[in-house]
Amino acid sequence: MQKTISIFVLGLSLCLFSSLSVLATEDEVLTIIDQASSQYKSGDFAGAASNLDYAAQLIRQKKSESMKDLLPEPLEGWEAEDAVAQAMGTAVFGGGISVSRTYKRKPSSVTIDIVSDSPVLQSLVMMINNPMVAGASGGKLQTVNGQRAIVQYTESSGSGEVNIVVDNRFMVTIKGKKVERSELLAYAEAMDYKALIGK
């Protein structure tokens, strides 16, 4: 009986420790913001700004990790590599976050990239909203899964690219090498754009 109680207490302790560890991780951003607030009140503006920048970077990292789940599973007959998330500082495209995943079926490959929270998106939104600009770049406007897209495809090389701006906040790019146009569009169709808008 005593042994059973000891095992129960040990298990309870491990669960509590695990919960506290998760809580500590979740509160890291709030802790840094509190430090920045104290620094600001004491007149340490440089320290406050540095900590706020750091907190913003951590938030971008958390958002990019959550966005990895939105990348679709491989189509039948294809294999997918692990999704990669990256938070970019303001020095790269003005900042933002990106997630990507590569899908392969020899000799073909398709890569899906999602970029968010980047000032560069505004110029891309103008491109997609202007048919003349899209046509000048060799692309064709097309609706993909309810989203306006610019599709570029070269039959001779089997390479192409689909660019989709979602909710004026996300840039989804699907690039393919040695693929059929239908395969490139199938991956573009496989994205859950409604779930992306909810992020």
Side-chain angles (χ1 to χ4, degrees):
M1 179 69 176
Q2 187 174 0
K3 184 177 180 182
T4 303
I5 293 173
S6 298
I7 293 173
F8 174 77
V9 171
L10 177 62
L12 188 62
S13 300
L14 288 172
C15 288
L16 182 60
F17 177 78
S18 176
S19 298
L20 288 173
S21 297
V22 171
L23 187 61
T25 302
E26 291 176 350
D27 287 346
E28 184 179 7
V29 173
L30 295 178
T31 299
I32 294 169
I33 292 173
D34 286 341
Q35 289 175 357
S37 178
S38 298
Q39 289 170 319
Y40 176 78
K41 290 174 183 177
S42 66
D44 182 7
F45 301 134
S50 177
N51 264 334
L52 287 175
D53 286 342
Y54 181 49
Q57 185 72 357
L58 289 177
I59 292 170
R60 284 192 288 267
Q61 287 178 1
K62 289 176 181 291
K63 183 177 179 181
S64 64
E65 286 295 327
S66 70
M67 284 172 56
K68 289 198 299 186
D69 295 335
L70 299 179
L71 293 165
E73 292 300 311
L75 299 178
E76 186 176 352
W78 291 69
E79 294 181 351
E81 297 179 356
D82 291 337
V84 178
Q86 182 179 7
M88 300 175 289
T90 54
V92 183
F93 300 120
I97 62 175
S98 70
V99 294
S100 64
R101 193 176 192 186
T102 298
Y103 307 81
K104 293 182 177 179
R105 189 191 63 189
K106 291 184 178 181
S108 307
S109 69
V110 170
T111 299
I112 299 178
D113 293 291
I114 305 174
V115 176
S116 176
D117 303 337
S118 172
V120 177
L121 285 179
Q122 294 308 311
S123 60
L124 296 172
V125 170
M126 291 176 61
M127 271 187 63
I128 286 186
N129 288 334
N130 189 332
M132 292 183 64
V133 175
S137 64
K140 293 182 179 179
L141 287 175
Q142 182 172 335
T143 300
V144 176
N145 201 359
Q147 303 295 320
R148 188 180 295 181
I150 296 178
V151 181
Q152 295 175 302
Y153 183 77
T154 304
E155 193 78 39
S156 58
S157 62
S159 62
E161 182 174 318
V162 180
N163 289 294
I164 303 171
V165 174
V166 182
D167 198 36
N168 289 342
R169 297 187 296 126
F170 302 94
M171 180 69 189
V172 180
T173 303
I174 303 96
K175 294 182 180 180
K177 295 180 180 178
K178 296 184 179 179
V179 295
E180 298 291 333
R181 190 176 190 275
S182 58
E183 293 172 323
L184 188 66
L185 290 174
Y187 272 106
E189 292 276 359
M191 277 290 305
D192 188 344
Y193 299 103
K194 289 183 179 179
L196 185 61
I197 293 172
K199 286 294 181 179

